Amino acid sequence: MEKGFNKTKVAGIVAGLLLASTVTQVQAAPTHDKNVIGYLTQWEAWKGTNAGFSVKGEATHLNVDMDIYSILNFSFFGVAKDGSLHSGDLRNKQIYKPGSEQEPGSLLHPDVYSSWDFHILWGELEYIHQYPVNEPWDAENLEKVKAQGFVKSGKGWRHKPTGIEGNMPIPLKKEGGAPGLIDLANQKGVKVMASLGGWSMSKHFPEMAADPVKKARFLKDLDKLMALGFHGIDIDWEYPGFGGMNFAGDPADFANFEQLMEDIRKRIGPDKLLTAAFSASTAKLEGFNWPRLVKSMDYFNMMTYDLNGSWSNVTGHNAPLYPYPEEEFKGLDLETLRIWMADKGIPSDKINFGAAFYGRGVQTTETDAYLGAPTDKRMYTMSVDGPLLTAVDVDNWKEFEGSPNYNYIVKTPGWEHKWDVNAEVPYAVKGKYFLSYDDVPSIKKKAQYIVDNDLGGVIVWQVHGDIQCEGTFINHGSKLKECTKLSSPLAEAIDDVFSANTTPNAAPELTVPNAQVATAGETISFSVSATDADGDSLIFSSVEAQVTDNGDGTATVTYTAPNSATDIVTSVIIKVTDGRKSVTKAVVVNVKGSGVVENTAPELTAPIAVEVESGQDVVITVTGTDADADALTYSSSMGQVVTTATGADVTVTAPTTDIDMVINVVIMVTDGQASAQKTVVVNVKAEAGVVGDTWDVNTIYNSGDTAVYNGITYTAQWWTKGETPGISSVWVEADTGEVGSWSASKTYNSGDEVTFDGNSYSAKWWTKGDQPGNANGPWERI
């Protein structure tokens, strides 16, 4: 790729970058083989000294250590109600309100004065305030705008290479000015992804993924993103199957998500990157067909942060590495998630775990806060989420709404910093306030954990959370500030661990032939070759074809063209790896159709969904037919398959669970040439609760609604669906005025009364899970 850009031929270079980016795919950090993926937001640049930065405009691409990061995710583009994409700066700020929707908007904010979109993506700008006219006195400006691909469009402009439109002025890349994010990344060998969604812009993901018309509109806007020069797409749908801000989840979301990944892969091609952010809660991951996702996606970015915070009932860690005794809910830690993903057979090198460059502060009911202390909630209006019942600490971290950046935390005095030997992370206390965060030692431990368990790498939220300018600033226009000496202590700590005891490794170089020709059903062979500057042993592979290593740096690829009645164009993806870095290239195959339809694919009939009790078996009965009367073979992503006279019975054993959950079972039938598959949603019902319970996992509850669960009446604090009372903080036990039976899941304060084994007790202090009857415990018999 070009290291810079020809200022007079930008349109040609955009096309050149697109062509070059489809040729090869190399992913690795400068001196190691781990991913270091950083989220770079378009809004952080607005923040100045009140948020820990030296100047406004410091938090841009010019102040990111690109010798450390291998991939940068530009965040976020949102999804509108028609499926189109829009700038994150155009999000509906009232989207948290019931009934609110996101209207369509520009992909990049059209006003260069009220947004950083163009300044970050295109770099230092010069403005042309009206479209130049074809006159001698305006000839220089006309030449500039035409050279960079701008044409007049109404009262504004359109950029022909990308299809982006905007208002006046025209934002020209300044000749000799600071480069934009993608240009700079190309110079440094760093990939840049377009990240779509986020917590406040995921509302319309489910309907888009389920609606072919809206999905087509979505995919069309992906073309614009790729034309801008992005190296791939990152999806941040929060959350399939469970819902998020002002929208509910549906079991169908999981299969729709999987199909969406396949559609995106087909749209952007095999040599671009496709990743997604996922919840760290295993309950929110069970519904995915992971083998299917593995086929279409490059990396799974697991958000192993935001595991505790202002919504929690007791203080806990934002991003614990290991379990710890004081945790409110078990299983919300990096170690538990890794083990779960390994059990699912998910390739470890596709898994990236989260590194939080920020903390979460809460207030407690105690005079002196501690780990596991009860949080003190009240109604507070957040800038994004709106009014919430929350324990957020805005007394100390108001500018961050309780989530301060690391570079601000280290500058803030008055806190007592402690270390949790169980969770292997730090925390801090100051009077009644509690702060969970990560520092250099904890980040190094997580990086070492990733190395020790052969994981793909880390995702960083977000890259400017730890930067500190130790030099001076160079101004690039009125917006961009470049620090002459930048420090990034947390990112540097990751790099230190990943680079320890390693030597730089060059990626292999792969050579493949030009396009091949085959007739329908024909088997063809061709040769590929590869070299490695380090002399490492190389391994060739392909999903679509058989590869025979010839032992001399070459391999023979044998491929059977599909039986097609019409002419089609397909491709064979060849991969070569030296064990640390890999390169893939596509060989196009032009298949000449036979003109005769030789085989009809079988048809499969299966139920849309079935229900089963926790720990019990359910039989899914399917039928298959084939117009050609071919013998049919059945298979399933899980369970035991028994062929019947008309199809097959698939017996699935449900996991034992105390909460309702969803499992997707993919059943396939093949006639040996073609196949069909159906996804059956298995709704696993939790073990039966107490007689008289009214809470239902599929019912939507609004603020003030009540439900009975395990014999206890709870009141919803805000909109909720599927969150179990007694576990989720959305539910608060109703005060009936009567003395109730002791519950191990309930929190009690001093003076609360309960009955247990026929006796009455009064709490001496705050307690949860301590059974009455112990003379030295928190309960006093009355």
Side-chain angles (χ1 to χ4, degrees), residues 479-670:
K479 289 276 191 178
L480 301 175
K481 318 290 181 182
E482 181 181 6
C483 178
T484 58
K485 184 180 179 183
L486 187 71
S487 170
S488 300
L490 298 184
E492 291 162 11
I494 293 171
D495 189 62
D496 288 345
V497 174
F498 285 173
S499 300
N501 301 317
T502 63
T503 56
N505 179 58
E509 294 187 5
L510 176 62
T511 302
V512 300
N514 294 327
Q516 304 291 296
V517 177
T519 58
E522 180 185 4
T523 299
I524 62 172
S525 296
F526 55 86
S527 295
V528 298
S529 63
T531 58
D532 188 82
D534 305 312
D536 296 328
S537 299
L538 300 177
I539 299 175
F540 297 89
S541 63
S542 174
V543 174
E544 298 84 8
Q546 179 181 344
V547 180
T548 302
D549 194 326
N550 299 322
D552 58 357
T554 67
T556 300
V557 180
T558 304
Y559 173 71
T560 301
N563 281 313
S564 174
T566 59
D567 293 351
I568 61 172
V569 177
T570 183
S571 61
V572 180
I573 308 302
I574 309 299
K575 177 179 179 180
V576 64
T577 179
D578 62 2
R580 294 177 63 192
K581 296 182 182 178
S582 63
V583 177
T584 62
K585 287 187 178 181
V587 178
V588 174
V589 181
N590 295 300
V591 181
K592 183 173 180 56
S594 64
V596 178
V597 178
E598 298 181 350
N599 180 65
T600 302
E603 294 183 356
L604 181 66
T605 302
I608 297 175
V610 296
E611 288 192 359
V612 60
E613 297 292 332
S614 169
Q616 301 301 306
D617 289 345
V618 62
V619 177
I620 304 172
T621 298
V622 300
T623 57
T625 58
D626 187 83
D628 304 316
D630 294 328
L632 300 179
T633 303
Y634 298 85
S635 61
S636 175
S637 60
M638 64 184 301
Q640 301 295 318
V641 180
V642 177
T643 302
T644 66
T646 57
D649 287 337
V650 180
T651 303
V652 175
T653 302
T656 302
T657 177
D658 58 0
I659 61 172
D660 290 356
M661 62 187 300
V662 173
I663 299 172
N664 282 350
V665 178
V666 180
I667 302 173
M668 177 179 291
V669 62
T670 178

Side-chain angles (χ1 to χ4, degrees), residues 51 181 276 383 538 585 683 756:
L181 170 61
S383 61
L538 300 177
K585 287 187 178 181
N683 295 300
F756 182 74

Side-chain angles (χ1 to χ4, degrees), residues 263-299:
D263 293 337
I264 295 174
R265 170 58 72 201
K266 183 177 180 180
R267 191 77 173 204
I268 67 177
D271 300 317
K272 296 293 185 180
L273 291 172
L274 177 57
T275 66
F278 292 87
S279 168
S281 169
T282 58
K284 292 182 178 179
L285 304 175
E286 287 283 0
F288 289 109
N289 180 346
W290 288 96
R292 184 180 180 186
L293 292 177
V294 167
K295 291 180 181 179
S296 62
M297 299 181 63
D298 292 290
Y299 301 121

Side-chain angles (χ1 to χ4, degrees), residues 373-576:
T375 58
D376 185 16
K377 295 180 181 178
R378 78 289 191 202
M379 291 302 299
Y380 185 83
T381 300
M382 308 288 280
S383 61
V384 174
D385 293 83
L388 291 177
L389 184 66
T390 174
V392 61
D393 176 8
V394 290
D395 292 336
N396 294 289
W397 317 112
K398 185 175 180 62
E399 291 294 333
F400 302 88
E401 292 193 317
S403 300
N405 285 339
Y406 175 78
N407 58 13
Y408 192 83
I409 293 172
V410 296
K411 298 175 185 176
T412 305
W415 289 79
E416 181 184 359
H417 295 267
K418 301 185 177 185
W419 181 264
D420 183 352
V421 297
N422 294 303
E424 298 269 18
V425 288
Y427 64 98
V429 293
K430 176 184 175 184
K432 69 176 184 177
Y433 302 104
F434 179 92
L435 174 70
S436 172
Y437 67 104
D438 272 285
D439 59 8
V440 169
S442 66
I443 286 291
K444 282 191 171 183
K445 284 183 177 292
K446 289 175 179 175
Q448 189 61 52
Y449 183 94
I450 287 166
V451 171
D452 294 343
N453 289 281
D454 197 27
L455 301 172
V458 297
I459 58 169
V460 171
W461 184 270
Q462 41 80 25
V463 296
H464 293 112
D466 76 327
I467 65 167
Q468 301 175 25
C469 183
E470 298 174 351
T472 57
F473 286 97
I474 301 171
N475 294 326
H476 297 284
S478 61
K479 289 276 191 178
L480 301 175
K481 318 290 181 182
E482 181 181 6
C483 178
T484 58
K485 184 180 179 183
L486 187 71
S487 170
S488 300
L490 298 184
E492 291 162 11
I494 293 171
D495 189 62
D496 288 345
V497 174
F498 285 173
S499 300
N501 301 317
T502 63
T503 56
N505 179 58
E509 294 187 5
L510 176 62
T511 302
V512 300
N514 294 327
Q516 304 291 296
V517 177
T519 58
E522 180 185 4
T523 299
I524 62 172
S525 296
F526 55 86
S527 295
V528 298
S529 63
T531 58
D532 188 82
D534 305 312
D536 296 328
S537 299
L538 300 177
I539 299 175
F540 297 89
S541 63
S542 174
V543 174
E544 298 84 8
Q546 179 181 344
V547 180
T548 302
D549 194 326
N550 299 322
D552 58 357
T554 67
T556 300
V557 180
T558 304
Y559 173 71
T560 301
N563 281 313
S564 174
T566 59
D567 293 351
I568 61 172
V569 177
T570 183
S571 61
V572 180
I573 308 302
I574 309 299
K575 177 179 179 180
V576 64

Side-chain angles (χ1 to χ4, degrees), residues 58-71:
E58 179 180 0
T60 72
H61 61 292
L62 296 183
N63 296 310
V64 177
D65 191 340
M66 292 197 183
D67 292 332
I68 292 177
Y69 290 95
S70 55
I71 299 174

Side-chain angles (χ1 to χ4, degrees), residues 304 336 448 686 735:
T304 48
T336 298
Q448 189 61 52
D735 185 2

